[in-house]
Amino acid sequence: MKTSAWPPAAPLAARAALSAALAALAGAESPTLTAQALLAHVLGITRSRLLAHPELPVAPDQRAAYEQLVARAALGEPLAYLTGQREFHGLDFLVEPGVLVPRPETELLVDLALARRPGRILDVGTGSGCIAVALAANLPQAVITAVDLSPAALAVARRNARRHGVLGRLTFLESDLLSALPASSLPAPGRPASSFQLIAANLPYVDRGALCDLPVARHEPWLALDGGPGGLALVGRLLRQAGPWLAPGGALLLEIGAGQGPAAQSLAYAAFPAARCQVHPDLAGHDRVLEVALPGPVRPA
Ligand code: GLN
């Protein structure tokens, strides 16, 4: 799609391409960052190299590709889908439209998880795999099972695990919450418990009623956002299923939405009356992570 912001076809310096893109992106979110990131992507260089060399030439085919990406960004398509990547917890993740774009808020969940130094981890609704891969990259002893309902998401997560060299410690499983986990992982008489020290999840938690009006739902998968009526349907289901899979002293860390803290906490106490349940705010001060810590000795990994 052409926009009137572009000068007639001619050899173009990066500087001129950027200012045409800025005009085309007026009204979009973060126009400067978007214009720069997309041009760096098309030229195959970093954003800082682009900024240091505004005289770099943009070839006609690069210019055409750039114009198309800028037009899509102007229509609200997330930058991460246009470039195919997003940084999360210091690592670069492959992202495509079948998975939720990793958010900085979710880094809080990863930090809380790392502080517990768990050895056996389950990541439920792994999506791009950003939580599971960030944990594996920072916990060299950890073994992680990552489940998702979507085979497309699992394929992306597997690629991210390979990209960061942790594929060997991750097991991927197509599963609706915990339903497909092998019962052989459960503790039983005569069999040592191999249950999880941490269950982490960024499940869909947006109130279904509010979803239609949210711009985010126009581009990112409903499957990753729709938390049912009220938003906590899946969080509640996971809390009710999780008990047998958690080791003594283990914990759940679940991402939740702003304002969902009290409701999430009462779901947690209903499922785990003896646990310590805490809601951690994100940097903006919004309820973001529910921590449910089970009593019992914490065994080393
Ligand atoms: N953080 C996302 C949003 O507010 C929601 C992610 C989720 O439902 N897990 O758009």
Side-chain angles (χ1 to χ4, degrees):
M1 190 190 304
K2 297 274 173 201
T3 70
S4 55
W6 300 88
L12 210 57
R15 172 191 299 111
L18 281 174
S19 55
L22 271 182
L25 287 167
E29 215 179 301
S30 320
T32 308
L33 171 73
T34 303
Q36 295 171 352
L38 288 177
L39 188 53
H41 173 68
V42 166
L43 298 180
I45 59 178
T46 63
R47 203 156 64 87
S48 44
R49 179 161 164 73
L50 170 65
L51 296 182
H53 293 281
E55 77 288 353
L56 281 174
V58 181
D61 58 328
Q62 293 173 322
R63 174 187 166 155
Y66 186 45
E67 281 188 44
Q68 283 203 0
L69 289 174
V70 168
R72 287 167 62 188
L75 293 172
E77 218 172 308
L79 179 58
Y81 291 158
L82 298 174
T83 61
Q85 58 187 47
R86 169 55 46 98
E87 193 201 302
F88 176 82
H89 213 276
L91 300 172
D92 221 11
F93 283 87
L94 303 169
V95 174
E96 53 185 59
V99 299
L100 190 77
V101 176
R103 306 284 204 275
E105 303 90 274
T106 308
E107 295 178 346
L108 169 65
L109 189 155
V110 171
D111 289 336
L112 291 165
L114 291 176
R116 304 187 68 91
R117 308 206 65 74
R120 291 184 307 277
I121 301 171
L122 174 66
D123 176 26
V124 186
T126 196
S128 64
C130 63
I131 294 176
V133 171
L135 291 177
N138 285 282
L139 297 169
Q141 308 300 324
V143 285
I144 303 180
T145 302
V147 306
D148 204 288
L149 190 56
S150 154
L154 288 170
V156 174
R158 203 173 276 118
R159 283 164 62 204
N160 278 318
R162 187 175 300 117
R163 183 184 178 110
H164 293 295
V166 296
L167 191 58
R169 287 184 290 119
L170 263 72
T171 303
F172 293 97
L173 190 66
E174 186 181 328
S175 179
D176 178 12
L177 299 182
L178 311 188
S179 59
L181 283 181
S184 57
S185 311
L186 281 173
R191 190 171 63 216
S194 59
S195 42
F196 301 104
Q197 291 156 333
L198 175 72
I199 297 182
N202 177 12
L203 293 170
Y205 55 68
V206 180
D207 173 14
R208 183 174 294 167
L211 200 51
C212 310
D213 300 327
L214 290 181
V216 58
R218 282 212 303 271
H219 298 282
E220 295 185 70
W222 273 68
L223 192 62
L225 294 165
D226 179 5
L232 286 174
L234 284 120
V235 167
R237 259 177 71 206
L238 176 59
L239 284 164
R240 290 189 291 277
Q241 292 181 7
W245 300 96
L246 270 170
L252 285 136
L253 286 168
L254 309 182
E255 182 166 325
I256 56 170
Q260 292 179 339
Q265 214 164 2
S266 43
L267 288 170
Y269 277 124
F272 296 95
R276 183 176 51 78
C277 302
Q278 215 181 331
V279 174
H280 299 271
D282 62 20
L283 290 174
H286 299 132
D287 296 343
R288 192 56 60 195
V289 178
L290 170 71
E291 177 173 19
V292 183
L294 268 56
V298 184
R299 270 196 285 273

